[in-house]
Amino acid sequence: MTTPNYAKQQRYRLAHERLKLAIQHEFYVEAAMICESIITDRLHSHLHWRITVAGNLSPDVVKQNGLRGRLDFEGHGNLGLLIRILELDFDHLGNARFADLPARLDRWRQSRNSVAHGMVHTSPAKKAYADDFDSFLQKAGDCAREGQPLVGCLTDWDRAVRRRHVKGREYKPF
């Protein structure tokens, strides 16, 4: 019998393999969407951990800070909201690699939005594209190539925060 954690590890392994292949074969829109799926899941998981295990964040904090949206652990989570919640009390752990992680995630999210919606979207009134197709593909490639190391950085940061909590140096900003 496999555990839910084992199944999740296998799914992540397959996602990372697919991400690598998508970038190699220049399927940048797919690669960006895989990055988005992993980033959203990592943030969702981290915030769930902070509330249910570490006990140093509560859904009320979200409301108190005027963030629109629900912190709902049943769905996939809204990437923009998850980043805003992370920013509330982000700790870079004294590591320069993590220093501006929420801002980098948000800039990447904006890039991902352009990729997710830019394949054929035009203004109905103008019926013209902001970029030619090759420029769109270049932006999609940039998004995918920036997303891949960002996934790694977020994963490393999450592990470091959880490790510190386990070692008794709890993260309790509130």
Side-chain angles (χ1 to χ4, degrees):
M1 183 172 106
T2 60
T3 66
N5 198 40
Y6 177 79
K8 188 160 188 156
Q9 290 169 353
Q10 292 307 307
R11 189 67 160 242
Y12 264 77
R13 182 184 60 75
L14 293 170
H16 282 280
E17 287 174 12
R18 183 85 181 200
L19 173 59
K20 183 178 176 183
L21 286 171
I23 290 174
Q24 284 176 350
H25 294 285
E26 299 181 1
F27 292 122
Y28 297 128
V29 175
E30 179 174 353
M33 295 307 105
I34 293 169
C35 288
E36 193 267 343
S37 181
I38 295 170
I39 289 169
T40 299
D41 188 70
R42 289 285 15 118
L43 288 171
H44 210 231
S45 175
H46 179 79
L47 294 172
H48 182 265
W49 172 81
R50 295 261 312 274
I51 290 169
T52 62
V53 175
N56 55 21
L57 181 67
S58 92
D60 293 335
V61 170
V62 175
K63 292 177 191 169
Q64 292 166 0
N65 283 277
L67 295 175
R68 294 185 342 209
R70 288 181 26 215
L71 185 55
D72 178 3
F73 295 116
E74 298 302 317
H76 60 79
N78 173 302
L79 182 56
L81 176 63
L82 295 172
I83 293 168
R84 295 288 94 68
I85 295 168
L86 182 69
E87 288 175 327
L88 289 176
D89 66 336
F90 181 75
D91 181 353
H92 61 77
L93 305 171
N95 186 328
R97 181 173 176 230
F98 304 141
D100 62 345
L101 184 57
R104 288 173 39 217
L105 286 166
D106 199 47
R107 282 191 304 272
W108 184 85
R109 178 191 62 82
Q110 293 168 12
S111 174
R112 192 271 317 165
N113 283 348
S114 296
V115 170
H117 305 291
M119 180 75 72
V120 296
H121 174 74
T122 63
S123 166
K126 294 181 182 176
K127 296 188 185 338
Y129 297 97
D131 299 315
D132 61 48
F133 197 72
D134 288 339
S135 295
F136 166 77
L137 287 179
Q138 178 63 46
K139 288 180 182 178
D142 293 345
C143 180
R145 286 186 295 273
E146 290 167 12
Q148 192 175 28
L150 196 54
V151 163
C153 184
L154 176 60
T155 299
D156 292 348
W157 173 82
D158 176 56
R159 286 179 181 153
V161 169
R162 292 179 194 230
R163 243 187 334 269
R164 183 174 70 178
H165 178 79
V166 169
K167 289 182 179 179
R169 296 177 299 196
E170 297 183 25
Y171 178 49
K172 292 190 176 184
F174 290 107

mmCIF file with all atom_site columns, all heavy atoms in Angstrom, residues 145-165:
data_model
loop_
_atom_site.group_PDB
_atom_site.id
_atom_site.type_symbol
_atom_site.label_atom_id
_atom_site.label_alt_id
_atom_site.label_comp_id
_atom_site.label_asym_id
_atom_site.label_entity_id
_atom_site.label_seq_id
_atom_site.pdbx_PDB_ins_code
_atom_site.Cartn_x
_atom_site.Cartn_y
_atom_site.Cartn_z
_atom_site.occupancy
_atom_site.B_iso_or_equiv
_atom_site.pdbx_formal_charge
_atom_site.auth_seq_id
_atom_site.auth_comp_id
_atom_site.auth_asym_id
_atom_site.auth_atom_id
_atom_site.pdbx_PDB_model_num
ATOM 1   N N   . ARG A 1 145 ? 11.647 29.299 -18.249 1.00 0.00 ? 145 ARG A N   1
ATOM 2   C CA  . ARG A 1 145 ? 13.023 29.177 -17.762 1.00 0.00 ? 145 ARG A CA  1
ATOM 3   C C   . ARG A 1 145 ? 13.224 29.907 -16.431 1.00 0.00 ? 145 ARG A C   1
ATOM 4   O O   . ARG A 1 145 ? 14.059 29.514 -15.625 1.00 0.00 ? 145 ARG A O   1
ATOM 5   C CB  . ARG A 1 145 ? 14.006 29.685 -18.810 1.00 0.00 ? 145 ARG A CB  1
ATOM 6   C CG  . ARG A 1 145 ? 14.180 28.713 -19.985 1.00 0.00 ? 145 ARG A CG  1
ATOM 7   C CD  . ARG A 1 145 ? 15.253 29.158 -20.948 1.00 0.00 ? 145 ARG A CD  1
ATOM 8   N NE  . ARG A 1 145 ? 14.914 30.395 -21.625 1.00 0.00 ? 145 ARG A NE  1
ATOM 9   C CZ  . ARG A 1 145 ? 14.204 30.473 -22.754 1.00 0.00 ? 145 ARG A CZ  1
ATOM 10  N NH1 . ARG A 1 145 ? 13.766 29.394 -23.342 1.00 0.00 ? 145 ARG A NH1 1
ATOM 11  N NH2 . ARG A 1 145 ? 13.957 31.647 -23.302 1.00 0.00 ? 145 ARG A NH2 1
ATOM 12  N N   . GLU A 1 146 ? 12.463 30.955 -16.167 1.00 0.00 ? 146 GLU A N   1
ATOM 13  C CA  . GLU A 1 146 ? 12.529 31.637 -14.873 1.00 0.00 ? 146 GLU A CA  1
ATOM 14  C C   . GLU A 1 146 ? 11.754 30.870 -13.810 1.00 0.00 ? 146 GLU A C   1
ATOM 15  O O   . GLU A 1 146 ? 12.107 30.895 -12.634 1.00 0.00 ? 146 GLU A O   1
ATOM 16  C CB  . GLU A 1 146 ? 11.975 33.056 -14.992 1.00 0.00 ? 146 GLU A CB  1
ATOM 17  C CG  . GLU A 1 146 ? 12.857 33.981 -15.804 1.00 0.00 ? 146 GLU A CG  1
ATOM 18  C CD  . GLU A 1 146 ? 12.158 35.288 -16.186 1.00 0.00 ? 146 GLU A CD  1
ATOM 19  O OE1 . GLU A 1 146 ? 11.073 35.580 -15.643 1.00 0.00 ? 146 GLU A OE1 1
ATOM 20  O OE2 . GLU A 1 146 ? 12.713 36.009 -17.031 1.00 0.00 ? 146 GLU A OE2 1
ATOM 21  N N   . GLY A 1 147 ? 10.696 30.202 -14.230 1.00 0.00 ? 147 GLY A N   1
ATOM 22  C CA  . GLY A 1 147 ? 9.862  29.459 -13.289 1.00 0.00 ? 147 GLY A CA  1
ATOM 23  C C   . GLY A 1 147 ? 10.557 28.247 -12.713 1.00 0.00 ? 147 GLY A C   1
ATOM 24  O O   . GLY A 1 147 ? 10.391 27.919 -11.533 1.00 0.00 ? 147 GLY A O   1
ATOM 25  N N   . GLN A 1 148 ? 11.336 27.564 -13.528 1.00 0.00 ? 148 GLN A N   1
ATOM 26  C CA  . GLN A 1 148 ? 11.971 26.327 -13.079 1.00 0.00 ? 148 GLN A CA  1
ATOM 27  C C   . GLN A 1 148 ? 12.881 26.542 -11.862 1.00 0.00 ? 148 GLN A C   1
ATOM 28  O O   . GLN A 1 148 ? 12.722 25.861 -10.849 1.00 0.00 ? 148 GLN A O   1
ATOM 29  C CB  . GLN A 1 148 ? 12.722 25.670 -14.235 1.00 0.00 ? 148 GLN A CB  1
ATOM 30  C CG  . GLN A 1 148 ? 13.160 24.260 -13.937 1.00 0.00 ? 148 GLN A CG  1
ATOM 31  C CD  . GLN A 1 148 ? 13.804 23.591 -15.142 1.00 0.00 ? 148 GLN A CD  1
ATOM 32  O OE1 . GLN A 1 148 ? 14.379 24.250 -16.004 1.00 0.00 ? 148 GLN A OE1 1
ATOM 33  N NE2 . GLN A 1 148 ? 13.718 22.278 -15.189 1.00 0.00 ? 148 GLN A NE2 1
ATOM 34  N N   . PRO A 1 149 ? 13.819 27.491 -11.876 1.00 0.00 ? 149 PRO A N   1
ATOM 35  C CA  . PRO A 1 149 ? 14.628 27.698 -10.663 1.00 0.00 ? 149 PRO A CA  1
ATOM 36  C C   . PRO A 1 149 ? 13.825 28.315 -9.518  1.00 0.00 ? 149 PRO A C   1
ATOM 37  O O   . PRO A 1 149 ? 14.151 28.105 -8.342  1.00 0.00 ? 149 PRO A O   1
ATOM 38  C CB  . PRO A 1 149 ? 15.749 28.634 -11.124 1.00 0.00 ? 149 PRO A CB  1
ATOM 39  C CG  . PRO A 1 149 ? 15.283 29.232 -12.395 1.00 0.00 ? 149 PRO A CG  1
ATOM 40  C CD  . PRO A 1 149 ? 14.305 28.293 -13.007 1.00 0.00 ? 149 PRO A CD  1
ATOM 41  N N   . LEU A 1 150 ? 12.777 29.048 -9.834  1.00 0.00 ? 150 LEU A N   1
ATOM 42  C CA  . LEU A 1 150 ? 11.929 29.612 -8.786  1.00 0.00 ? 150 LEU A CA  1
ATOM 43  C C   . LEU A 1 150 ? 11.227 28.494 -8.013  1.00 0.00 ? 150 LEU A C   1
ATOM 44  O O   . LEU A 1 150 ? 11.084 28.568 -6.791  1.00 0.00 ? 150 LEU A O   1
ATOM 45  C CB  . LEU A 1 150 ? 10.917 30.567 -9.418  1.00 0.00 ? 150 LEU A CB  1
ATOM 46  C CG  . LEU A 1 150 ? 10.191 31.534 -8.514  1.00 0.00 ? 150 LEU A CG  1
ATOM 47  C CD1 . LEU A 1 150 ? 11.151 32.359 -7.673  1.00 0.00 ? 150 LEU A CD1 1
ATOM 48  C CD2 . LEU A 1 150 ? 9.305  32.447 -9.354  1.00 0.00 ? 150 LEU A CD2 1
ATOM 49  N N   . VAL A 1 151 ? 10.815 27.458 -8.729  1.00 0.00 ? 151 VAL A N   1
ATOM 50  C CA  . VAL A 1 151 ? 10.235 26.274 -8.082  1.00 0.00 ? 151 VAL A CA  1
ATOM 51  C C   . VAL A 1 151 ? 11.237 25.707 -7.075  1.00 0.00 ? 151 VAL A C   1
ATOM 52  O O   . VAL A 1 151 ? 10.896 25.416 -5.928  1.00 0.00 ? 151 VAL A O   1
ATOM 53  C CB  . VAL A 1 151 ? 9.850  25.206 -9.138  1.00 0.00 ? 151 VAL A CB  1
ATOM 54  C CG1 . VAL A 1 151 ? 9.638  23.849 -8.498  1.00 0.00 ? 151 VAL A CG1 1
ATOM 55  C CG2 . VAL A 1 151 ? 8.613  25.637 -9.913  1.00 0.00 ? 151 VAL A CG2 1
ATOM 56  N N   . GLY A 1 152 ? 12.489 25.563 -7.493  1.00 0.00 ? 152 GLY A N   1
ATOM 57  C CA  . GLY A 1 152 ? 13.523 25.037 -6.604  1.00 0.00 ? 152 GLY A CA  1
ATOM 58  C C   . GLY A 1 152 ? 13.766 25.920 -5.405  1.00 0.00 ? 152 GLY A C   1
ATOM 59  O O   . GLY A 1 152 ? 13.919 25.439 -4.277  1.00 0.00 ? 152 GLY A O   1
ATOM 60  N N   . CYS A 1 153 ? 13.797 27.215 -5.625  1.00 0.00 ? 153 CYS A N   1
ATOM 61  C CA  . CYS A 1 153 ? 14.029 28.166 -4.539  1.00 0.00 ? 153 CYS A CA  1
ATOM 62  C C   . CYS A 1 153 ? 12.895 28.100 -3.514  1.00 0.00 ? 153 CYS A C   1
ATOM 63  O O   . CYS A 1 153 ? 13.139 28.065 -2.305  1.00 0.00 ? 153 CYS A O   1
ATOM 64  C CB  . CYS A 1 153 ? 14.183 29.574 -5.108  1.00 0.00 ? 153 CYS A CB  1
ATOM 65  S SG  . CYS A 1 153 ? 14.598 30.820 -3.874  1.00 0.00 ? 153 CYS A SG  1
ATOM 66  N N   . LEU A 1 154 ? 11.667 28.088 -3.996  1.00 0.00 ? 154 LEU A N   1
ATOM 67  C CA  . LEU A 1 154 ? 10.513 28.011 -3.093  1.00 0.00 ? 154 LEU A CA  1
ATOM 68  C C   . LEU A 1 154 ? 10.545 26.707 -2.297  1.00 0.00 ? 154 LEU A C   1
ATOM 69  O O   . LEU A 1 154 ? 10.302 26.702 -1.094  1.00 0.00 ? 154 LEU A O   1
ATOM 70  C CB  . LEU A 1 154 ? 9.211  28.127 -3.884  1.00 0.00 ? 154 LEU A CB  1
ATOM 71  C CG  . LEU A 1 154 ? 7.918  27.982 -3.088  1.00 0.00 ? 154 LEU A CG  1
ATOM 72  C CD1 . LEU A 1 154 ? 7.811  29.053 -2.003  1.00 0.00 ? 154 LEU A CD1 1
ATOM 73  C CD2 . LEU A 1 154 ? 6.717  28.046 -4.030  1.00 0.00 ? 154 LEU A CD2 1
ATOM 74  N N   . THR A 1 155 ? 10.859 25.621 -2.948  1.00 0.00 ? 155 THR A N   1
ATOM 75  C CA  . THR A 1 155 ? 10.937 24.322 -2.273  1.00 0.00 ? 155 THR A CA  1
ATOM 76  C C   . THR A 1 155 ? 12.017 24.344 -1.200  1.00 0.00 ? 155 THR A C   1
ATOM 77  O O   . THR A 1 155 ? 11.794 23.889 -0.070  1.00 0.00 ? 155 THR A O   1
ATOM 78  C CB  . THR A 1 155 ? 11.199 23.201 -3.295  1.00 0.00 ? 155 THR A CB  1
ATOM 79  O OG1 . THR A 1 155 ? 10.109 23.173 -4.232  1.00 0.00 ? 155 THR A OG1 1
ATOM 80  C CG2 . THR A 1 155 ? 11.335 21.853 -2.631  1.00 0.00 ? 155 THR A CG2 1
ATOM 81  N N   . ASP A 1 156 ? 13.187 24.876 -1.535  1.00 0.00 ? 156 ASP A N   1
ATOM 82  C CA  . ASP A 1 156 ? 14.283 24.943 -0.562  1.00 0.00 ? 156 ASP A CA  1
ATOM 83  C C   . ASP A 1 156 ? 13.916 25.831 0.629   1.00 0.00 ? 156 ASP A C   1
ATOM 84  O O   . ASP A 1 156 ? 14.216 25.502 1.782   1.00 0.00 ? 156 ASP A O   1
ATOM 85  C CB  . ASP A 1 156 ? 15.558 25.468 -1.220  1.00 0.00 ? 156 ASP A CB  1
ATOM 86  C CG  . ASP A 1 156 ? 16.135 24.499 -2.232  1.00 0.00 ? 156 ASP A CG  1
ATOM 87  O OD1 . ASP A 1 156 ? 15.707 23.326 -2.278  1.00 0.00 ? 156 ASP A OD1 1
ATOM 88  O OD2 . ASP A 1 156 ? 17.015 24.928 -3.014  1.00 0.00 ? 156 ASP A OD2 1
ATOM 89  N N   . TRP A 1 157 ? 13.270 26.968 0.365   1.00 0.00 ? 157 TRP A N   1
ATOM 90  C CA  . TRP A 1 157 ? 12.860 27.869 1.440   1.00 0.00 ? 157 TRP A CA  1
ATOM 91  C C   . TRP A 1 157 ? 11.858 27.169 2.358   1.00 0.00 ? 157 TRP A C   1
ATOM 92  O O   . TRP A 1 157 ? 11.987 27.209 3.584   1.00 0.00 ? 157 TRP A O   1
ATOM 93  C CB  . TRP A 1 157 ? 12.264 29.151 0.859   1.00 0.00 ? 157 TRP A CB  1
ATOM 94  C CG  . TRP A 1 157 ? 11.680 30.027 1.916   1.00 0.00 ? 157 TRP A CG  1
ATOM 95  C CD1 . TRP A 1 157 ? 12.346 30.897 2.719   1.00 0.00 ? 157 TRP A CD1 1
ATOM 96  C CD2 . TRP A 1 157 ? 10.302 30.079 2.315   1.00 0.00 ? 157 TRP A CD2 1
ATOM 97  N NE1 . TRP A 1 157 ? 11.471 31.499 3.612   1.00 0.00 ? 157 TRP A NE1 1
ATOM 98  C CE2 . TRP A 1 157 ? 10.209 31.010 3.363   1.00 0.00 ? 157 TRP A CE2 1
ATOM 99  C CE3 . TRP A 1 157 ? 9.150  29.437 1.881   1.00 0.00 ? 157 TRP A CE3 1
ATOM 100 C CZ2 . TRP A 1 157 ? 9.005  31.305 3.984   1.00 0.00 ? 157 TRP A CZ2 1
ATOM 101 C CZ3 . TRP A 1 157 ? 7.950  29.731 2.504   1.00 0.00 ? 157 TRP A CZ3 1
ATOM 102 C CH2 . TRP A 1 157 ? 7.892  30.659 3.548   1.00 0.00 ? 157 TRP A CH2 1
ATOM 103 N N   . ASP A 1 158 ? 10.861 26.517 1.774   1.00 0.00 ? 158 ASP A N   1
ATOM 104 C CA  . ASP A 1 158 ? 9.843  25.823 2.557   1.00 0.00 ? 158 ASP A CA  1
ATOM 105 C C   . ASP A 1 158 ? 10.493 24.764 3.451   1.00 0.00 ? 158 ASP A C   1
ATOM 106 O O   . ASP A 1 158 ? 10.185 24.674 4.641   1.00 0.00 ? 158 ASP A O   1
ATOM 107 C CB  . ASP A 1 158 ? 8.817  25.181 1.612   1.00 0.00 ? 158 ASP A CB  1
ATOM 108 C CG  . ASP A 1 158 ? 7.786  24.350 2.345   1.00 0.00 ? 158 ASP A CG  1
ATOM 109 O OD1 . ASP A 1 158 ? 7.119  24.882 3.249   1.00 0.00 ? 158 ASP A OD1 1
ATOM 110 O OD2 . ASP A 1 158 ? 7.648  23.151 2.015   1.00 0.00 ? 158 ASP A OD2 1
ATOM 111 N N   . ARG A 1 159 ? 11.393 23.993 2.895   1.00 0.00 ? 159 ARG A N   1
ATOM 112 C CA  . ARG A 1 159 ? 12.076 22.960 3.688   1.00 0.00 ? 159 ARG A CA  1
ATOM 113 C C   . ARG A 1 159 ? 12.886 23.582 4.832   1.00 0.00 ? 159 ARG A C   1
ATOM 114 O O   . ARG A 1 159 ? 12.910 23.061 5.940   1.00 0.00 ? 159 ARG A O   1
ATOM 115 C CB  . ARG A 1 159 ? 13.001 22.132 2.796   1.00 0.00 ? 159 ARG A CB  1
ATOM 116 C CG  . ARG A 1 159 ? 12.247 21.175 1.913   1.00 0.00 ? 159 ARG A CG  1
ATOM 117 C CD  . ARG A 1 159 ? 13.190 20.388 1.034   1.00 0.00 ? 159 ARG A CD  1
ATOM 118 N NE  . ARG A 1 159 ? 12.435 19.488 0.173   1.00 0.00 ? 159 ARG A NE  1
ATOM 119 C CZ  . ARG A 1 159 ? 12.866 19.069 -0.990  1.00 0.00 ? 159 ARG A CZ  1
ATOM 120 N NH1 . ARG A 1 159 ? 14.050 19.427 -1.455  1.00 0.00 ? 159 ARG A NH1 1
ATOM 121 N NH2 . ARG A 1 159 ? 12.108 18.263 -1.716  1.00 0.00 ? 159 ARG A NH2 1
ATOM 122 N N   . ALA A 1 160 ? 13.538 24.697 4.547   1.00 0.00 ? 160 ALA A N   1
ATOM 123 C CA  . ALA A 1 160 ? 14.341 25.361 5.582   1.00 0.00 ? 160 ALA A CA  1
ATOM 124 C C   . ALA A 1 160 ? 13.463 25.874 6.718   1.00 0.00 ? 160 ALA A C   1
ATOM 125 O O   . ALA A 1 160 ? 13.817 25.741 7.895   1.00 0.00 ? 160 ALA A O   1
ATOM 126 C CB  . ALA A 1 160 ? 15.155 26.503 4.971   1.00 0.00 ? 160 ALA A CB  1
ATOM 127 N N   . VAL A 1 161 ? 12.319 26.451 6.403   1.00 0.00 ? 161 VAL A N   1
ATOM 128 C CA  . VAL A 1 161 ? 11.403 26.946 7.437   1.00 0.00 ? 161 VAL A CA  1
ATOM 129 C C   . VAL A 1 161 ? 10.898 25.784 8.280   1.00 0.00 ? 161 VAL A C   1
ATOM 130 O O   . VAL A 1 161 ? 10.872 25.854 9.513   1.00 0.00 ? 161 VAL A O   1
ATOM 131 C CB  . VAL A 1 161 ? 10.223 27.725 6.811   1.00 0.00 ? 161 VAL A CB  1
ATOM 132 C CG1 . VAL A 1 161 ? 9.137  28.002 7.834   1.00 0.00 ? 161 VAL A CG1 1
ATOM 133 C CG2 . VAL A 1 161 ? 10.708 29.032 6.205   1.00 0.00 ? 161 VAL A CG2 1
ATOM 134 N N   . ARG A 1 162 ? 10.510 24.703 7.624   1.00 0.00 ? 162 ARG A N   1
ATOM 135 C CA  . ARG A 1 162 ? 9.988  23.546 8.362   1.00 0.00 ? 162 ARG A CA  1
ATOM 136 C C   . ARG A 1 162 ? 11.076 22.899 9.224   1.00 0.00 ? 162 ARG A C   1
ATOM 137 O O   . ARG A 1 162 ? 10.813 22.483 10.358  1.00 0.00 ? 162 ARG A O   1
ATOM 138 C CB  . ARG A 1 162 ? 9.391  22.522 7.394   1.00 0.00 ? 162 ARG A CB  1
ATOM 139 C CG  . ARG A 1 162 ? 8.121  23.021 6.723   1.00 0.00 ? 162 ARG A CG  1
ATOM 140 C CD  . ARG A 1 162 ? 7.575  21.994 5.751   1.00 0.00 ? 162 ARG A CD  1
ATOM 141 N NE  . ARG A 1 162 ? 6.583  22.555 4.870   1.00 0.00 ? 162 ARG A NE  1
ATOM 142 C CZ  . ARG A 1 162 ? 5.394  22.006 4.655   1.00 0.00 ? 162 ARG A CZ  1
ATOM 143 N NH1 . ARG A 1 162 ? 5.052  20.889 5.243   1.00 0.00 ? 162 ARG A NH1 1
ATOM 144 N NH2 . ARG A 1 162 ? 4.547  22.573 3.810   1.00 0.00 ? 162 ARG A NH2 1
ATOM 145 N N   . ARG A 1 163 ? 12.296 22.826 8.699   1.00 0.00 ? 163 ARG A N   1
ATOM 146 C CA  . ARG A 1 163 ? 13.415 22.267 9.472   1.00 0.00 ? 163 ARG A CA  1
ATOM 147 C C   . ARG A 1 163 ? 13.674 23.096 10.727  1.00 0.00 ? 163 ARG A C   1
ATOM 148 O O   . ARG A 1 163 ? 13.895 22.561 11.811  1.00 0.00 ? 163 ARG A O   1
ATOM 149 C CB  . ARG A 1 163 ? 14.678 22.231 8.611   1.00 0.00 ? 163 ARG A CB  1
ATOM 150 C CG  . ARG A 1 163 ? 15.215 20.870 8.350   1.00 0.00 ? 163 ARG A CG  1
ATOM 151 C CD  . ARG A 1 163 ? 16.545 20.826 7.636   1.00 0.00 ? 163 ARG A CD  1
ATOM 152 N NE  . ARG A 1 163 ? 16.911 21.926 6.787   1.00 0.00 ? 163 ARG A NE  1
ATOM 153 C CZ  . ARG A 1 163 ? 16.647 22.008 5.481   1.00 0.00 ? 163 ARG A CZ  1
ATOM 154 N NH1 . ARG A 1 163 ? 16.011 21.047 4.870   1.00 0.00 ? 163 ARG A NH1 1
ATOM 155 N NH2 . ARG A 1 163 ? 17.029 23.057 4.786   1.00 0.00 ? 163 ARG A NH2 1
ATOM 156 N N   . ARG A 1 164 ? 13.651 24.404 10.566  1.00 0.00 ? 164 ARG A N   1
ATOM 157 C CA  . ARG A 1 164 ? 13.882 25.279 11.715  1.00 0.00 ? 164 ARG A CA  1
ATOM 158 C C   . ARG A 1 164 ? 12.806 25.074 12.773  1.00 0.00 ? 164 ARG A C   1
ATOM 159 O O   . ARG A 1 164 ? 13.090 25.040 13.962  1.00 0.00 ? 164 ARG A O   1
ATOM 160 C CB  . ARG A 1 164 ? 13.921 26.739 11.282  1.00 0.00 ? 164 ARG A CB  1
ATOM 161 C CG  . ARG A 1 164 ? 14.223 27.669 12.451  1.00 0.00 ? 164 ARG A CG  1
ATOM 162 C CD  . ARG A 1 164 ? 14.414 29.074 12.032  1.00 0.00 ? 164 ARG A CD  1
ATOM 163 N NE  . ARG A 1 164 ? 13.147 29.626 11.594  1.00 0.00 ? 164 ARG A NE  1
ATOM 164 C CZ  . ARG A 1 164 ? 12.985 30.869 11.189  1.00 0.00 ? 164 ARG A CZ  1
ATOM 165 N NH1 . ARG A 1 164 ? 14.012 31.678 11.132  1.00 0.00 ? 164 ARG A NH1 1
ATOM 166 N NH2 . ARG A 1 164 ? 11.823 31.305 10.829  1.00 0.00 ? 164 ARG A NH2 1
ATOM 167 N N   . HIS A 1 165 ? 11.576 24.901 12.336  1.00 0.00 ? 165 HIS A N   1
ATOM 168 C CA  . HIS A 1 165 ? 10.468 24.672 13.269  1.00 0.00 ? 165 HIS A CA  1
ATOM 169 C C   . HIS A 1 165 ? 10.681 23.370 14.041  1.00 0.00 ? 165 HIS A C   1
ATOM 170 O O   . HIS A 1 165 ? 10.519 23.332 15.255  1.00 0.00 ? 165 HIS A O   1
ATOM 171 C CB  . HIS A 1 165 ? 9.138  24.622 12.514  1.00 0.00 ? 165 HIS A CB  1
ATOM 172 C CG  . HIS A 1 165 ? 7.967  24.350 13.399  1.00 0.00 ? 165 HIS A CG  1
ATOM 173 N ND1 . HIS A 1 165 ? 7.391  25.326 14.162  1.00 0.00 ? 165 HIS A ND1 1
ATOM 174 C CD2 . HIS A 1 165 ? 7.294  23.208 13.656  1.00 0.00 ? 165 HIS A CD2 1
ATOM 175 C CE1 . HIS A 1 165 ? 6.389  24.802 14.845  1.00 0.00 ? 165 HIS A CE1 1
ATOM 176 N NE2 . HIS A 1 165 ? 6.304  23.519 14.555  1.00 0.00 ? 165 HIS A NE2 1
#
